[in-house]
Amino acid sequence: MNDFIPFALGVIFVSVNGLTQLVFAQTQGFKLKPASIGLIIAAILSGIFGLITPITGQSAMIALAGKTDERDQRVAALLLSSLLMVILGLTGAISWAVEFVGPAIMAGMMAGVGLMLTQVGTDFVVDKKKGNLAVGLVSLISAFAIYFLFFGDPNVLVYTVAGSVSVSTAYYLIFQRHKQNIDLEVPKGETENGKFWTKTYWQTEDWQVVTPKFTFKAIVAALALICLGVGITTSFGAINAGMAGTAAGLEGPIYQNFDYLTLVSGIAGFASELFGGMPLETIISGTAAAPWPVLGNVSVLILLAVLLILGIVTKISKYIPTQSIAGFLVIIGIFSTFLPQLRNPGFASDVPVAGVTMAVTKLTSNPFLGVLAGLFTRAVGHLIGLA
């Protein structure tokens, strides 16, 4: 019983975090229900391989994929990136890729992604087309207040997400919704039909395969996604492994195999993206620090999959304003992504290279171009050094 309570709380809070990511994905034009297929696949393979890191909606990956507006090109980019992730996982090349790029470029790329994520969050406040100043400010203020109130707690991000979204949504429902009569626009093909046992449920557009369109733009987007995917998988996977090791009283990471994690992420993502669903990527999870971390991971994935199949997430999202996610996007962007990378020894090992990578990643909103810029800067530096 002593172990069950923290286990259950971890699953519940991480699932709440997962729900907000699903709502965010819907605002970016992704169909939700197809993600359930990927989540079930991830749950099964995580149980087989003993993985503790959930593979579900991840803010930075959703934001980057959402920048490709055309659905057919977006699907093409996502499928290519997932296929590359599968190849990296099968060949065990993930460690080689990270080593080749180097810690400075990886840190710079992730720092740039943190700035990108922060920009997405602030746009939900100040942008005239998609922002809502009042709701966005409530989300931001509550997110910062909760984050610093629980700073140091292993579940601080979960509390921040749940709290800021709840407070800003309550404000919206009480003070704005009845005046503006605004509902979240459901992406084309997303229905609320929860009768999953009927034949018609599986014949709706939710489950129709999207024909990918492979263009130069899609290929460049795919390269950006794979760069970000490698960075997220290795960094977030290592964080979860560290939390699990600490909770188990062991030194060094446990329950971790980056090749398996990359492989599962690629397969699960491919299954979701084929139908126009969101990308699936590793997340930082409080279940890693709770008892039975593998079971916790599997439980979160199964719970989210069931909620998606039943159409509950689509129904809930109609009452959650887009701008309610602004606060946790900024918090994750600054405190979980940007600042940690600045403090990363890899960043300090070659500040010019890391700085250029970070700047180009942010300015172009493309981690692949950031990595190329970092590699070029490093090559020039070596030439000058040799001269």
Side-chain angles (χ1 to χ4, degrees), residues 4 21 48 59 64 82 119 138 140 159 165 186 199 235 265 270 274 287 329 332 350 362 381:
F4 179 76
Q21 302 295 337
I48 293 173
S59 303
L64 180 60
S82 292
Q119 181 66 54
V138 171
L140 279 174
Y159 298 150
V165 171
V186 177
K199 184 178 180 180
S235 58
S265 174
F270 194 96
L274 191 61
T287 55
L329 287 177
I332 292 174
D350 198 335
K362 171 60 177 69

Side-chain angles (χ1 to χ4, degrees), residues 61 85 94 109 224-234 281-282:
M61 185 63 75
M85 290 289 278
I94 188 75
M109 180 196 71
L225 290 166
I226 192 67
C227 287
L228 179 58
V230 170
I232 290 176
T233 299
T234 53
E281 189 51 79
T282 58

Side-chain angles (χ1 to χ4, degrees), residues 18-32 35 56-59 61-63 65-66 71 74 124 184-185 187 190 272 276-280 308 313 317 322 325 328-329:
L19 286 175
T20 59
Q21 302 295 337
L22 294 173
V23 172
F24 178 40
Q26 193 174 44
T27 68
Q28 301 303 296
F30 292 102
K31 290 190 285 184
L32 296 185
T56 180
Q58 201 281 329
S59 303
M61 185 63 75
I62 294 171
R71 174 172 283 182
R74 177 195 297 174
F124 281 129
L184 179 66
E185 182 180 353
E190 188 73 29
S272 170
M278 66 178 183
L280 299 176
L308 284 171
V313 176
S317 66
T322 304
I325 64 179
F328 83 75
L329 287 177

Side-chain angles (χ1 to χ4, degrees), residues 64-326:
L64 180 60
K67 289 185 177 297
T68 305
D69 297 325
E70 302 83 357
R71 174 172 283 182
D72 52 359
Q73 295 188 55
R74 177 195 297 174
V75 170
L78 286 167
L79 292 178
L80 279 175
S81 65
S82 292
L83 182 60
L84 286 171
M85 290 289 278
V86 170
I87 293 173
L88 287 174
L90 286 173
T91 59
I94 188 75
S95 299
W96 175 87
V98 173
E99 184 177 351
F100 172 76
V101 171
I105 293 177
M106 290 297 294
M109 180 196 71
M110 291 301 296
V113 169
L115 293 176
M116 287 171 53
L117 204 54
T118 303
Q119 181 66 54
V120 173
T122 55
D123 283 346
F124 281 129
V125 181
V126 299
D127 188 272
K128 292 183 179 180
K129 292 184 178 180
K130 56 185 176 183
N132 182 316
L133 183 61
V135 174
L137 282 178
V138 171
S139 178
L140 279 174
I141 293 171
S142 59
F144 274 88
I146 295 170
Y147 182 81
F148 286 109
L149 178 65
F150 291 96
F151 186 77
D153 189 294
N155 291 314
V156 61
L157 287 178
V158 178
Y159 298 150
T160 301
V161 170
S164 62
V165 171
S166 298
V167 171
S168 55
T169 297
Y171 172 85
Y172 169 76
L173 294 175
I174 295 172
F175 296 105
Q176 288 193 357
R177 191 169 189 270
H178 68 286
K179 296 179 181 179
Q180 300 181 19
N181 194 29
I182 297 175
D183 285 329
L184 179 66
E185 182 180 353
V186 177
K188 181 182 178 183
E190 188 73 29
T191 67
E192 294 184 33
N193 188 351
K195 299 177 181 178
F196 67 93
W197 57 87
T198 63
K199 184 178 180 180
T200 55
Y201 174 89
W202 300 100
Q203 293 176 334
T204 61
E205 194 175 346
D206 296 17
W207 305 102
Q208 290 182 6
V209 173
V210 177
T211 303
K213 184 178 181 180
F214 296 96
T215 62
F216 178 75
K217 179 181 179 181
I219 293 173
V220 173
L223 294 172
L225 290 166
I226 192 67
C227 287
L228 179 58
V230 170
I232 290 176
T233 299
T234 53
S235 58
F236 288 4
I239 290 172
N240 287 331
M243 286 196 297
T246 301
L250 302 174
E251 293 183 1
I254 61 172
Y255 305 116
Q256 189 58 74
N257 184 304
F258 287 127
D259 293 324
Y260 289 161
L261 195 57
T262 303
L263 176 63
V264 175
S265 174
I267 295 174
F270 194 96
S272 170
E273 296 149 8
L274 191 61
F275 299 90
M278 66 178 183
L280 299 176
E281 189 51 79
T282 58
I283 64 169
I284 299 173
S285 174
T287 55
W292 317 313
V294 176
L295 180 60
N297 171 23
V298 173
S299 300
V300 168
L301 298 178
I302 293 296
L303 178 58
L304 291 175
V306 170
L307 293 176
L308 284 171
I309 291 174
L310 294 177
I312 293 175
V313 176
T314 305
K315 294 176 181 178
I316 292 175
S317 66
K318 292 182 63 177
Y319 301 95
I320 301 177
T322 304
Q323 297 79 12
S324 68
I325 64 179

Side-chain angles (χ1 to χ4, degrees), residues 100-110 227 346-347 349-362 364 366-383:
F100 172 76
V101 171
I105 293 177
M106 290 297 294
M109 180 196 71
M110 291 301 296
C227 287
F347 198 103
S349 68
D350 198 335
V351 174
V353 170
V356 168
T357 304
M358 176 182 68
V360 174
T361 297
K362 171 60 177 69
T364 64
N366 191 310
F368 174 67
L369 296 180
V371 169
L372 285 183
L375 291 171
F376 177 77
T377 304
R378 187 172 67 188
V380 170
H382 287 168
L383 287 174

